[in-house]
């Protein structure tokens, strides 16, 4: 029988009220709260960000403040740069490829709540992973919705809401975002 955490990572309906899920979130919230008072040059910054996101490469930088649900659901490539005030709801995994830049105030959401009110009342939800390829650039204020895949070498214009997959080598913009041209 799967734990609620295993169900969460497997895109199955799970209870976010389960004690193991709540403990994971409490841990991340404590670390995110501490990050608010730091900058990337503080001695305490690197050990704290590595505790929050255990697999973070040394060449990757996240500018505080940064907010996430778990931290251990975030998989970052080499040379990734995440600017100020980003929110990653990482119940489903969020994978970001090498050398990708994420602008300030970007929001990546993996939670997908059930349409049936009874399931929502119970505290059940699904988590759909987000994948962003290598050498991408997401402008400030971009929102990426659950289950979206953004290909390699893409540029997503500031303020866009990405609701569908974006193929490699694309410039996308708008709400909802659409491919404007190939790069």
């Amino acid at each position: 029988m799967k734990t609620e955490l295993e169900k969460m990572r497997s895109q199955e309906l799970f209870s976010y009220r389960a004690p193991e899920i709540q403990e994971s979130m409490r841990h991340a919230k404590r670390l995110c709260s501490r990050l608010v008072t730091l900058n990337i040059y503080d001695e305490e910054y690197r050990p704290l960000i590595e505790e929050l996101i255990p697999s973070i490469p040394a060449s990757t930088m996240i500018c505080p403040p940064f907010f996430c649900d778990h931290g251990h659901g975030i998989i970052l490539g080499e040379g990734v740069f995440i600017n100020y005030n980003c929110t990653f709801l990482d119940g489903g995994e969020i994978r970001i490829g090498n050398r990708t830049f994420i602008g300030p105030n970007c929001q990546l959401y993996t939670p997908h709540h059930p349409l049936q009110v009874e399931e929502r009342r119970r505290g059940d939800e699904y988590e759909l992973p987000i994948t962003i390829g290598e050498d991408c650039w997401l402008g400030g204020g971009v929102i990426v919705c659950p289950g979206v895949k953004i290909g390699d070498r893409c540029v997503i214009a500031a303020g866009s809401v990405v609701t569908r997959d974006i193929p490699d080598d694309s410039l996308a913009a708008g709400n909802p975002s659409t491919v404007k041209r190939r790069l």
Side-chain angles (χ1 to χ4, degrees):
M1 186 169 195
K2 288 183 177 179
T3 66
E4 295 302 300
L5 190 60
E6 290 168 334
K7 289 180 195 176
M8 179 179 78
R9 294 285 188 229
S10 299
Q11 302 175 40
E12 297 175 38
L13 193 64
F14 75 98
S15 173
Y16 63 78
R17 293 182 177 147
E20 67 181 313
I21 303 295
Q22 290 300 305
E23 181 51 38
S24 176
M25 292 178 76
R26 263 192 295 280
H27 177 73
K29 303 298 182 218
R30 281 193 294 268
L31 296 174
C32 288
S33 292
R34 289 175 53 202
L35 273 173
V36 168
T37 63
L38 299 178
N39 67 65
I40 59 174
Y41 302 107
D42 289 332
E43 277 184 37
E44 306 87 42
Y45 164 79
R46 198 70 203 181
L48 193 60
I49 201 74
E50 289 174 357
E51 183 179 350
L52 180 62
I53 304 171
S55 64
I56 188 170
S59 63
T60 290
M61 189 66 56
I62 299 174
C63 296
F66 175 77
F67 306 97
C68 65
D69 278 345
H70 301 279
H72 53 80
I74 301 169
I75 297 101
L76 304 171
E78 294 288 338
V80 170
F81 180 79
I82 299 169
N83 216 321
Y84 302 103
N85 207 40
C86 288
T87 300
F88 289 14
L89 304 186
D90 64 311
E93 288 184 343
I94 296 173
R95 293 182 176 273
I96 300 176
N98 297 332
R99 301 169 305 278
T100 286
F101 300 156
I102 307 290
N105 300 306
C106 286
Q107 302 167 56
L108 281 60
Y109 304 143
T110 67
H112 181 67
H113 298 282
L115 298 178
Q116 300 302 318
V117 69
E118 296 82 18
E119 291 174 336
R120 286 196 310 274
R121 283 182 186 163
R122 281 195 309 262
D124 293 345
E125 66 182 38
Y126 301 94
E127 300 283 343
L128 304 177
I130 292 172
T131 302
I132 300 171
E134 294 187 351
D135 299 300
C136 292
W137 173 28
L138 276 62
V142 168
I143 296 173
V144 181
C145 292
V148 166
K149 293 178 184 172
I150 297 173
D152 293 335
R153 300 170 303 279
C154 288
V155 175
I156 310 298
S160 295
V161 179
V162 186
T163 61
R164 296 190 181 129
D165 292 355
I166 305 294
D168 291 349
D169 303 300
S170 296
L171 169 65
N175 180 5
S177 67
T178 57
V179 174
K180 301 300 181 184
R181 68 180 171 111
R182 299 303 300 255
L183 298 173

